[in-house]
Amino acid sequence: MAVTVIVGTQWGDEGKGKITDLLSRDMDLVVRYQGGNNAGHTVVIKNEIFKLHLIPSGIFFSNVLCVIGNGVVIDPAVLVQEIETLQAKGYSADNLRISSQAHVIFPYHRYLDQAQEKKREAGRIGTTCRGIGPCYVDKFNRRGIRISDLYNEKLVREKLEWNIEEKSFLLEKFYAFDKKVNLEQLLNEYLGYAHAIKKYVVEESTALVHQAIAKKKNVLLEGAQGTMLDVDQGTYPFVTSSNPVSGGACVGAGVGPKDIDEVIGVVKAYITRVGSGPFPTEIEGKLGDDLREKGGEYGATTGRPRRCGWFDGVVMKFSARINSLSQLAVTKLDVLDGLDKINICTAYEYKGSKITDFPTDINRLALCKPVYEEAPGWKEDTSKITNYQELPSNAKKYLDKLAEIAETKVSMISVGAERGQIIKV
Ligand code: GDP
Ligand code: IMO
Ligand code: MG
């Protein structure tokens, strides 16, 4: 009987998929509220690994309606593939719904993403090159094509003509990009996707949410990416093109802020980042490499190695406030098993003084050095623990410190990728 938001508190890949799956058994509705197939949310069920890019991570419960919300950008080729993969593994996907207001990614969005990254050279963001940014640009520029448009051939043709003319000019003349887009081919392809996903498309996805709220059902709003990748609040310009923060859930799922009861911040026990941009607590060298191997820190979407670092309390504090966190779900605690000492960044040193408010300007952030407190590690294997009391005392102290920094209670601790590897506090 509550509306809960799941939000990434760091630079993404905190384990949102796992936590969403975990909570979904008690939900009636799960809505993905932003991003696109730049996301890769992993759910592991009995050794079988699912990497979801667009479909909400509640999809494995057939009685839970899973909505791709209006705030999401959809590459229909990826969506169709994802539905087929689920079906091949015995999940019907009949509980999927797609907002007709969601925007559509076309190949020219991907080409522009690739071309822009190439041209940026040293200033490269390290995007996933999935066309996410250019698609959101079209949305905000009111040039976008929405899922509903795909069912009006005349309209989609007109919109595509305009878009292809503009993008072809840019790709050829400005970016000297070699791939071309053909209107008839594209139209055919996309009308095919439209047909394939038609049974899932709903005109009023927000009404589904409102009805569920009115009936006091349980609703989960699943974010993608993370707070520090938020286009407004993150490390701009090294961010994604949407609002992963909890406020984005209101816009991307169509609920008002007063309807939200709980905001669960998913926090990795350490921290990772894929792509470029500042990362104050990054660990270079062997220790960083060891953490990457032990944590399996390779992108679920692009396979790129993730940069690894120590837990950053300055980011945590910022994230707790920006998102109004009410609970923390700490993930990957098991990856820290066996370390002698663990660093916790509690402040940054900036021009000789200590600061604890996250600098919004990356030029200032670049001058910040992490200030660490050293916490003692633990030798025990935590991956089989299901009861909080059984955790090593140093692990409990570590979690207490995280909660103290976030001024938020820890309600869940994940100690492995499998569905059952969870400690509820
Ligand atoms: P998301 O994008 O936030 O959903 O996270 P990803 O799925 O991209 O990355 C998280 C990775 O860690 C995935 O490979 C998960 O299977 C894995 N994972 C999640 N929770 C845990 C955990 O508690 N321990 C370990 N060892 N792996 C975990
Ligand atoms: P999930 O939901 C981690 C990063 C990219 C790049 C920046 C912009 O799995 O946590 P984009 O393609 O969005 O324009 O790239 O954002 N990024 C992610 N990093 N996890 C994600 O999603 C990400 N989605 C985008 O690496 O730095
Ligand atoms: Mg991910």
Side-chain angles (χ1 to χ4, degrees), residues 11-14 16 38-41 113 125-130 132-133 223-226 229 238-241 273-276 301 304:
W11 276 282
D13 304 324
E14 298 89 350
K16 299 174 291 295
N38 45 352
H41 294 183
D113 201 350
I125 291 166
T127 74
T128 59
C129 286
R130 300 299 195 262
I132 308 296
Q225 289 82 50
L229 287 171
F238 298 98
V239 291
T240 191
S241 302
R273 173 161 206 172
V274 206
S276 331
T301 298
R304 288 178 292 176

Side-chain angles (χ1 to χ4, degrees), residues 395-406:
K396 285 189 212 156
K397 282 185 197 146
Y398 184 71
L399 292 166
D400 286 347
K401 184 73 190 173
L402 268 48
E404 180 194 317
I405 292 170

Side-chain angles (χ1 to χ4, degrees), residues 142-159:
R142 291 144 299 171
R143 296 271 178 243
I145 297 176
R146 308 207 288 187
I147 292 286
S148 56
D149 298 333
L150 298 179
Y151 299 98
N152 180 339
E153 189 174 337
K154 184 169 171 288
L155 181 70
V156 73
R157 178 183 286 278
E158 278 168 19
K159 289 193 171 195

Side-chain angles (χ1 to χ4, degrees), residues 306-321:
R306 295 173 181 156
R307 299 155 70 193
C308 296
W310 296 114
F311 176 83
D312 188 332
V314 183
V315 164
M316 182 75 257
K317 186 178 145 209
F318 174 78
S319 208
R321 291 182 176 175

Side-chain angles (χ1 to χ4, degrees), residues 15 17 29 69 92 111 118 195 225 297 316 349 352 382-383 391:
L29 196 67
S92 77
Y111 298 162
K118 198 161 165 229
H195 179 71
Q225 289 82 50
E297 297 296 358
M316 182 75 257
E349 191 193 302
T382 59
S383 70
L391 278 174

Side-chain angles (χ1 to χ4, degrees), residues 13-18 40-42 44 300 306 331-335 414-417:
D13 304 324
E14 298 89 350
K16 299 174 291 295
K18 158 143 188 184
H41 294 183
T42 316
V44 185
R306 295 173 181 156
T331 60
K332 306 194 91 158
L333 188 72
D334 54 298
V335 178
S414 174
V415 289

